[in-house]
């Protein structure tokens, strides 16, 4: 059965709109016909089922290789160029890569990683020319590895098909859209949140090699960008850019945010500029789309991640953990049955994220199960406290973690980045006015910046080592 394979997408689009711009990369245009032809060239050299690892920035050639893998039934394994050589070597060995495609810019890093790799036998591919199937792997994305070694989440053609279809039905992309793609292509969101759907629909994707707030603002104005996706950090840095107030954002119809709860004050700041930001929630193992807040509810349900996407089913498990199932959910971790069995149980994907569901069925993500701490017998979710801290006009960034306390077991420690001096007591008073006493942090630490991973998510395990 091959009705849900992504090789059809680029072939069909090249047939119907061959001369339309598929990619705008630094002003260089790649048409749909050119993208289809280039992916055909690359596909001829690939075998069904083989793993193709890449170390590259965002580029049209990487997109062509993605569609080449889709056509050949191969698996694209994009690796973060922000990793150390030993981390890359681990992924190469774990994935069983048959090819390692390295961009010139990252050649020294790639060579260092190759030297450390054990060179285990690659995953065997079958005869070239075999058509891809729905359940064939297409993307192999390794998790951040905040606990233990990273795990490779395998996403199939069908996973990618259904997550893009559900995204389109909820808050989609049209053929006349101009999509700004800033998320790195070594993350699931760099493909399955807007770019792949845009190429399915015949839109134009403005590809950026890396995120820069000032450049993003210029591109929105110059390219008449209509939509984009980012994590809260992207929107925070753009809003803090000196050019934010004066940039023409009139073309920007809708922005999508995911990756972490977005502070309400930041949502309101964008709304004041006339830009609608649609909250969402997802994770790589769900390819990644799970929850979406409909545009018409964006302000009525501020702070909510919304309701499940079409074709996605959710439930709330023990400890208020969000559970997910549907055709978007991955089949498991690559060559890791133990981790798969731990995450996929009784037909449900256990996300590890804590949620609350209101009387209308809207979900609010309160944080990670492992980030939640218990103070005096009460559960405290850091995201709720962080949102309050963001209300202060001089707080540019904030994170809260639980720390040991002799009396209460655990208490909150807040880390904030300020743009002007603010007394600790002033921030604590703000929290006392908004939160129950057990949620108020016991201490506030001013830092120059918060540690973040390659997608902009705060690395709370590193906070204790941030100089205050």
């Amino acid at each position: 059965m091959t009705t849900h394979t992504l090789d059809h997408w680029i072939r069909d689009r090249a047939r119907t709109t061959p001369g339309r711009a598929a990619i705008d990369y630094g002003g260089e245009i790649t048409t749909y016909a050119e993208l289809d032809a280039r992916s055909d060239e690359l596909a001829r050299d690939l075998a069904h089922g083989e793993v193709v690892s890449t170390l590259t920035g965002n580029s049209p050639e990487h997109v062509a290789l993605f569609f080449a893998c889709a056509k050949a039934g191969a698996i694209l394994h994009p690796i973060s160029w922000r990793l150390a050589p030993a981390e890359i070597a681990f992924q190469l060995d774990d994935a069983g890569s048959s090819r390692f495609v390295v961009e010139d810019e990252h050649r020294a890093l790639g060579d260092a990683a190759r030297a450390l790799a054990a060179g285990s036998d690659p995953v065997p591919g079958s005869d070239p020319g075999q058509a891809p199937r729905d359940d064939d792997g297409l993307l192999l994305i390794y998790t951040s590895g905040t606990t233990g070694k990273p795990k490779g989440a395998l996403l199939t053609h069908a996973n990618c098909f259904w997550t893009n279809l559900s995204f389109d039905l909820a808050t989609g992309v049209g053929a006349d859209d101009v999509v700004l793609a800033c998320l790195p292509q070594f993350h699931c969101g760099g493909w399955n949140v807007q770019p792949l759907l845009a190429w399915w629909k015949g839109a134009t994707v403005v590809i950026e090699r890396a995120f820069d707030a000032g450049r993003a603002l210029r591109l929105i104005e110059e390219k008449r960008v209509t939509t984009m996706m980012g994590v809260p950090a992207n929107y925070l840095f753009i809003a803090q850019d000196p050019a934010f107030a004066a940039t023409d954002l009139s073309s920007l119809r809708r922005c999508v945010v995911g990756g972490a709860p977005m502070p309400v004050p930041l949502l309101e700041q964008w709304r004041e500029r006339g830009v609608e930001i649609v909250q969402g929630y997802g994770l790589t193992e769900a390819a990644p789309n799970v929850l979406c807040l409909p545009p018409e509810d964006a302000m009525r349900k501020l702070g909510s991640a919304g309701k499940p996407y079409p074709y996605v089913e959710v439930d709330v498990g023990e400890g208020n953990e969000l559970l997910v199932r549907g055709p978007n959910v991955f089949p498991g971790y690559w060559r890791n049955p133990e981790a798969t069995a731990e995450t996929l149980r009784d037909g449900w994907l256990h996300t590890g994220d804590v949620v609350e569901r209101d009387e209308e069925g809207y979900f609010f993500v309160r944080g990670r199960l492992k980030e939640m701490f218990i103070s005096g017998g009460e559960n405290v979710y850091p995201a709720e406290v962080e949102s309050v801290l963001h209300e202060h006009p001089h707080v540019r960034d904030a994170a809260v973690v639980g720390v040991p306390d002799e009396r209460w077991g655990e208490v909150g420690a807040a880390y904030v980045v300020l743009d002007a001096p603010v007394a600790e007591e002033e921030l604590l008073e703000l929290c006392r006015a908004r939160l129950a006493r057990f949620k108020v942090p016991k201490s506030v630490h001013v830092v120059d910046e918060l540690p973040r991973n390659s997608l902009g998510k705060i690395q709370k395990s590193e906070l204790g080592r941030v100089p205050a």
Side-chain angles (χ1 to χ4, degrees):
M1 183 178 181
T2 59
T3 57
H4 304 127
T5 56
L6 272 62
D7 56 313
H8 295 295
W9 290 12
I10 195 65
R11 288 192 177 111
D12 292 345
R13 185 49 58 188
R15 184 177 65 248
T16 55
T17 56
R20 188 177 292 175
I23 297 170
D24 183 336
Y25 181 67
E28 182 178 334
I29 302 298
T30 301
T31 68
Y32 278 94
E34 291 168 339
L35 184 56
D36 182 51
R38 179 56 179 151
S39 60
D40 271 347
E41 291 176 11
L42 296 172
R44 294 189 192 106
D45 195 36
L46 299 177
H48 189 280
E50 72 169 307
V51 178
V52 181
S53 298
T54 61
L55 190 65
T56 175
N58 298 350
S59 71
E61 187 73 359
H62 201 208
V63 177
L65 182 57
F66 170 89
F67 281 112
C69 289
K71 291 175 176 180
I75 301 168
L76 181 68
H77 166 220
I79 303 174
S80 170
W81 39 264
R82 292 171 174 159
L83 297 178
E87 294 173 303
I88 295 172
F90 168 80
Q91 288 198 24
L92 292 173
D93 287 334
D94 191 70
S97 309
S98 57
R99 302 168 194 262
F100 186 28
V101 181
V102 181
E103 194 175 34
D104 286 342
E105 180 181 340
H106 303 296
R107 187 161 300 281
L109 178 59
D111 289 344
R114 256 195 305 261
L116 294 173
S120 56
D121 292 335
V123 175
S126 58
D127 293 335
Q130 181 178 339
R133 300 180 298 260
D134 289 8
D135 58 356
D136 281 339
L138 176 57
L139 276 173
L140 182 59
I141 308 288
Y142 276 73
T143 61
S144 58
T146 52
T147 57
K149 289 289 188 181
K151 302 183 292 291
L154 180 66
L155 301 178
T156 66
H157 281 258
N159 292 152
C160 295
F161 178 96
W162 287 105
T163 202
N164 278 283
L165 177 60
S166 65
F167 184 87
D168 192 35
L169 293 173
T171 176
V173 172
D176 60 343
D177 272 316
V178 177
V179 178
L180 178 59
C182 296
L183 293 184
Q185 290 175 343
F186 54 73
H187 275 288
C188 179
W191 299 101
N192 275 335
V193 186
Q194 291 193 331
L196 286 182
L197 177 60
W199 292 315
W200 192 8
K201 301 293 284 291
T204 298
V205 179
V206 179
I207 292 181
E208 279 289 277
R209 283 186 64 78
F211 173 77
D212 177 85
R215 180 166 168 78
L217 280 168
R218 291 193 298 274
L219 287 172
I220 290 169
E221 183 172 288
E222 294 170 7
K223 304 291 186 179
R224 307 304 294 163
V225 170
T226 61
T227 187
M228 63 178 288
M229 190 275 172
V231 298
N234 297 137
Y235 294 109
L236 175 66
F237 299 151
I238 291 175
Q240 291 173 348
D241 191 278
F244 181 67
T247 300
D248 180 5
L249 304 180
S250 59
S251 65
L252 206 52
R253 300 176 191 164
R254 184 176 303 157
C255 293
V256 179
V257 63
M262 187 157 171
V264 172
L266 185 57
L267 286 169
E268 292 174 333
Q269 190 175 3
W270 277 84
R271 184 179 181 238
E272 289 171 0
R273 286 299 332 269
V275 179
E276 185 179 70
I277 290 190
V278 178
Q279 286 261 60
Y281 162 87
L283 67 164
T284 300
E285 290 85 347
N289 302 315
V290 176
L291 301 172
C292 179
L293 187 65
E296 61 269 25
D297 292 330
M299 297 310 299
R300 187 174 72 87
K301 291 289 184 179
L302 273 176
S304 171
K307 296 181 177 181
Y309 277 93
Y311 302 106
V312 178
E313 186 178 354
V314 302
D315 200 356
V316 180
E318 185 178 351
N320 288 334
E321 181 184 15
L322 182 66
L323 309 180
V324 184
R325 67 182 177 191
N328 59 312
V329 172
F330 79 145
Y333 293 110
W334 182 250
R335 304 201 292 188
N336 194 336
E338 295 83 7
T340 299
E342 183 180 342
T343 301
L344 295 175
R345 304 197 302 270
D346 300 321
W348 291 93
L349 167 64
H350 288 246
T351 67
D353 286 309
V354 176
V355 295
E356 290 181 8
R357 179 167 44 193
D358 70 12
E359 66 282 354
E360 296 182 66
Y362 290 85
F363 285 84
F364 294 77
V365 180
R366 298 309 188 196
R368 296 287 295 169
L369 274 175
K370 293 179 181 177
E371 289 179 2
M372 183 202 79
F373 60 92
I374 300 175
S375 185
E378 299 282 358
N379 293 347
V380 181
Y381 301 107
E384 182 180 10
V385 186
E386 291 158 5
S387 184
V388 171
L389 289 168
H390 273 283
E391 292 182 19
H392 195 285
H394 292 308
V395 172
R396 294 171 63 90
D397 213 352
V400 174
V401 294
V403 296
D405 182 81
E406 288 185 3
R407 182 176 183 184
W408 302 110
E410 288 180 293
V411 293
Y415 293 79
V416 297
V417 179
L418 304 175
D419 61 13
V422 179
E424 176 183 5
E425 184 59 26
E426 183 176 339
L427 294 175
L428 292 176
E429 278 298 321
L430 173 65
C431 291
R432 292 184 190 113
R434 302 282 195 278
L435 299 167
R437 288 195 66 85
F438 67 86
K439 299 178 183 178
V440 176
K442 188 174 184 179
S443 60
V444 177
H445 309 274
V446 178
V447 297
D448 292 333
E449 62 180 7
L450 298 177
R452 295 180 180 274
N453 67 9
S454 56
L455 193 55
K457 292 183 180 180
I458 297 171
Q459 299 296 89
K460 296 192 174 182
S461 61
E462 301 293 319
L463 281 174
R465 293 190 282 271
V466 175

